[in-house]
Amino acid sequence: ESKDAAKIIENTQASDTDSDSFGIAEGKNVILISMESTQGFVINQKVNGEELTPFLNSLIDESYYFSSIYDQTAQGKTSDSEFMIDTGLYPMESGAVFVRKTENTFIGLPHILKQEGDYYSAVFHGNDPTFWNRENMYESLGYDHFYAKESYKVTEENSVNYGIKDVPFFEQSVSIMEELPQPYYARFITLTNHFPFLLEQEDQFIDEAETEEGVVNRYITTIRYQDEAIRLFFEQLKEKGLYENTIFVLYGDHYGISEKYDHGVMDLLNMKTSALNRMKLKQVPLIIHVPGQEGKTFTRNGGEIDIRPTLLHLMGIHSEEPSLGKNLFARSNDHPVIFRNGDFVTDKYLLKDKRCYSLEKEELTDAHHCEPTEEIVREELEMSDEIIYGDLLRFIE
Ligand code: GP9
Ligand code: MN
């Protein structure tokens, strides 16, 4: 068993390719913001003449912005995105790895950062610590502390939908952060922009959209609210002197509008409903900001699984721990972005619901165009599954 394990581990050992940006964030604090249900289409998008994300849009002007990153989560939703970012492994086909595999040995980002730079790791999130079994899984992933609901003053007034609203959440988090040992790796998980996107009038900084889908119309307002909350967070970090020496990674955790409602988005964006456009809506924003840096947009494809190697690259860490992600600064465009159900997208082809499309011709194409890539996809998912089901990382020193 340990021999097979060694082979799989060897096959998944990350190898980084150099680029100019290697090490630009070495030794800095790391702040990750997991933006609830935030899809790529909201970036630089206006509705009724108003920007949906004015702050994120301005941040992008001075950040690395990856505009073609895909949601690769499965049933574990937010927790699957966390899992991919911390481990570089794929989520499970059914159920949530956060719930089912807490007993496994993992080599999470917290472990790597602790080892390489004595980082302190913490997660901040206003929901119950038991949600997605986070309290247990964070321990397996190597976190030092989880600031969950009981770390916040949560009242009826400062809550909506799942819990504390993003503005008070960030505000209260900043006071906790002043006490954190540095350098730190801290993840903040927003909550207000969660289905069914409820928001009181006083928090609506933009009018609802006017599509025939109420879910989409409300989504606009909670997206705009989240943007404001993040703007205030940055402002407070600057005031406390916590901004300059930090690298920020902001990403959408997964879709917000499910396919059932996406005709409303198509309507909002004047798009026609097609497999290709549906796949486009699976994009989530990824923004990496290092204070003082010049903005640059990368349109090449990638997925959430690629965030970990990209971050390690910027931090100047050549990690050889198993990972299925690729450094986005060097990722080759013909390597597929893999979805848990076996679908994929490359620069030329899209496999969606087992049907093969040519992106160039924007139409269905012969299945044989997709077959060689399907094989790569199967192998990659299989390696990830073997590591998870076999608990193979326990064989690593
Ligand atoms: C709950 C929040 C939302 O704490 O992270 O979870 P989701 O339903 O998006 O997976
Ligand atoms: Mn979520």
Side-chain angles (χ1 to χ4, degrees), residues 240-292:
K240 305 277 185 200
L242 295 173
Y243 166 77
E244 284 300 328
N245 194 33
T246 299
I247 173 173
F248 295 86
V249 180
L250 292 81
Y251 62 93
D253 65 349
H254 51 72
Y255 70 88
I257 311 292
S258 62
E259 290 204 352
K260 186 169 149 201
Y261 301 112
D262 71 6
H263 60 100
V265 181
M266 303 292 180
D267 179 14
L268 189 77
L269 304 179
N270 272 320
M271 283 160 87
K272 64 176 200 314
T273 302
S274 66
L276 263 56
N277 282 340
R278 287 206 139 136
M279 189 49 83
K280 267 218 156 328
L281 290 185
K282 274 177 89 75
Q283 290 174 347
V284 291
L286 171 61
I287 303 167
I288 301 182
H289 178 72
V290 181

Side-chain angles (χ1 to χ4, degrees), residues 36 76-78 125 127 131-132 134 189 191 194 253-254:
E36 180 56 48
K77 303 288 295 290
T78 313
H125 182 50
N127 203 356
F131 202 100
W132 284 131
R134 282 183 169 113
I189 306 171
L191 197 52
H194 194 287
D253 65 349
H254 51 72

